[in-house]
Amino acid sequence: MRPHRSLLTAAAASCLLLVTACGSADPAGSGKSGGLNPPDLKAPTALGAPEGEVNLIAWAGYVEDGSNDPKVDWVTAFEKRTGCQVNTKTAATSDEMVSLMKTGAYDAVSASGDASLRLIASGDAAPVNTSLVPNYADVFAGLKNKEWNSVKGVAYGVPHGRGANLLMYDTEKVKPAPDSWSAVFDKASAHSGKVTAYDSPIYLADAALYLKATKPELGIENPYALDQKQFDASVTLLKEQNKHIGEYWSDYLKEISAFKSGDSVVGTSWQVIANLAKAEGAKIEAVLPKEGSTGWSDTWMVSAKAKHPACAYKWLDWIVSPKTNAQVAEYFGEAPANAKSCAETADKNHCAVFHATDETYWKQVHFWTTPIEQCLDGRKDARCVPYAKWVQAWTEIKG
């Protein structure tokens, strides 16, 4: 099992501007999405016969047909069962996914939270009739009707899985064992030059989450809903941190190598990276800090222009079916979306390691959501900084 994507590398500001005037999502994550008013698209009430093929946009590792590893294949069985030939375009970034969906050449996409609101607001993703996805019934309740995958109670996709951004540290060089993000912020000077952080504008949310706990006077409620003062404070914190950063990472292999060599001793990571680093001899541990963390939950969304909707819906149902979802979760390195998948994993400890059934754990994770001008925390008397400005600030922070 391994992670494959270099998520959220440099974003194109023009694409991000698509949602800045479209409204906000409900801060409680109930999917009510107060101010977001997407085009009035309707989900199908029934499906016709399979069209014979389906065109997908996916993160690498989500649509495996045995060509990368003969032992890893959940596509062939789908094709035989449904008669839908799978054609996959692997995307490297969320911006690429958004651009590809606009062409109308693809039927479905495995969108991360930084892309899903853009696709909904622009009308490129259609509402999904979950009653036509039988396996949706077994998806963990904690993943349904959330602010990144639904609007006003209407689902715009099927959850794929979830993961948290953790604090990883060298157990021999970072003592005592840290339990706070202060290890990479206020106390970063203790390991100056050997601190690492995730290389993406969305990392601003990590700084905001830390400030939410340590500077309550800023009034931060949602790390993706930052007014100018809150945003500036987050930028300032990351500029201070930059003085102690050895390297920013987006390639998980480079992070593993840096911890093995000692070039990095503390920083942001994923559970699967910690597992692999340990397996390769690195003296590390990874924890969910007391302030909580950011994280991801990807969603399979159907194009509003889908030419093969029946096959697209069959794919959505297949990818969250117990056995298939278990295979994907293990291969990619994340918690599955389907509650029944835990009985299907080859490694019977997989769900325990990735906290699949621990909803208390996931309540501490703030999943990636696209920042927009109409504040996601529900404020009506403030304007929040849209993601295009996050991209600009990230360049300044690293510069």
Side-chain angles (χ1 to χ4, degrees):
M1 57 185 175
R2 53 182 176 164
H4 298 265
R5 58 183 164 180
S6 56
L7 292 169
L8 298 167
T9 53
S14 60
C15 291
L16 296 163
L17 288 170
L18 288 171
V19 296
T20 58
C22 297
S24 66
D26 167 44
S30 66
K32 294 180 181 178
S33 301
L36 186 62
N37 294 301
D40 186 19
L41 303 174
K42 304 298 183 184
T45 56
L47 297 173
E51 301 89 357
E53 65 178 323
V54 63
N55 299 320
L56 306 176
I57 306 167
W59 296 115
Y62 275 12
V63 185
E64 292 295 314
D65 61 3
S67 57
N68 291 319
D69 183 341
K71 299 177 182 178
V72 182
D73 181 1
W74 47 85
V75 169
T76 301
F78 169 78
E79 292 176 331
K80 289 180 179 179
R81 177 174 296 193
T82 65
C84 299
Q85 176 71 36
V86 175
N87 307 307
T88 307
K89 170 66 176 178
T90 301
T93 69
S94 287
D95 284 336
E96 184 181 1
M97 288 184 170
V98 170
S99 296
L100 289 170
M101 281 287 280
K102 288 188 174 301
T103 68
Y106 299 90
D107 301 303
V109 60
S110 63
S112 290
D114 69 306
S116 53
L117 284 186
R118 286 187 270 168
L119 294 172
I120 294 170
S122 63
D124 291 307
V128 167
N129 183 346
T130 57
S131 67
L132 299 177
V133 185
N135 284 300
Y136 182 81
D138 298 316
V139 169
F140 286 106
L143 286 172
K144 294 179 177 179
N145 295 321
K146 295 302 176 181
E147 59 191 22
W148 60 89
N149 62 26
S150 62
V151 176
K152 299 176 182 177
V154 177
Y156 276 79
V158 173
H160 174 100
R162 52 186 167 179
N165 294 315
L166 304 176
L167 176 64
M168 190 160 81
Y169 62 96
D170 186 312
T171 57
E172 295 182 346
K173 299 175 182 176
V174 181
K175 296 181 179 179
D179 65 351
S180 166
W181 288 114
S182 63
V184 297
F185 290 124
D186 293 338
K187 299 179 181 178
S189 60
H191 303 288
S192 189
K194 296 189 175 184
V195 177
T196 187
Y198 188 55
D199 190 2
S200 167
I202 206 70
Y203 185 64
L204 272 148
D206 293 61
L209 185 62
Y210 180 65
L211 291 174
K212 179 178 184 292
T214 57
K215 292 194 174 181
E217 64 272 18
L218 287 171
I220 296 174
E221 294 294 333
N222 182 323
Y224 306 102
L226 306 177
D227 61 33
Q228 194 64 54
K229 181 178 179 181
Q230 296 165 341
F231 181 78
D232 290 344
S234 301
V235 170
T236 297
L237 180 62
L238 290 184
K239 285 183 175 179
E240 286 298 313
Q241 183 197 51
N242 177 262
K243 300 173 184 177
H244 307 294
I245 292 288
E247 66 176 358
Y248 294 96
W249 70 273
S250 59
D251 184 332
Y252 77 99
L253 292 175
K254 289 184 178 179
E255 188 182 33
I256 291 172
S257 177
F259 271 86
K260 286 171 65 179
S261 68
D263 288 341
S264 294
V265 299
V266 65
T268 316
S269 191
W270 302 335
Q271 184 63 60
V272 67
I273 296 176
N275 294 349
L276 291 168
K278 273 189 174 183
E280 294 185 19
K283 307 295 184 182
I284 61 90
E285 291 291 343
V287 298
L288 183 73
K290 61 186 180 182
E291 298 90 359
S293 79
T294 58
W296 74 87
S297 173
D298 296 339
T299 303
W300 279 100
M301 309 179 81
V302 176
S303 171
K305 304 171 186 175
K307 296 179 177 64
H308 312 102
C311 281
Y313 266 78
K314 285 186 177 297
W315 174 259
L316 264 59
D317 193 49
W318 178 259
I319 203 65
V320 293
S321 61
K323 185 176 181 179
T324 303
N325 202 231
Q327 288 177 291
V328 180
E330 284 195 278
Y331 185 65
F332 188 82
E334 62 187 344
N338 191 315
K340 292 183 177 179
S341 294
C342 291
E344 300 288 345
T345 56
D347 177 2
K348 297 309 175 185
N349 291 320
H350 180 85
C351 282
V353 170
F354 286 86
H355 303 275
T357 65
D358 187 353
E359 293 300 336
T360 299
Y361 178 90
W362 295 112
K363 286 179 180 178
Q364 302 173 72
V365 178
H366 300 257
F367 293 104
W368 288 335
T369 307
T370 311
I372 56 180
E373 283 188 8
Q374 289 179 272
C375 300
L376 294 167
D377 57 11
R379 282 179 289 173
K380 305 298 184 183
D381 58 348
R383 284 201 172 275
C384 283
V385 179
Y387 196 47
K389 298 294 185 182
W390 290 43
V391 176
Q392 295 172 12
W394 186 243
T395 300
E396 296 173 5
I397 289 163
K398 291 176 63 182

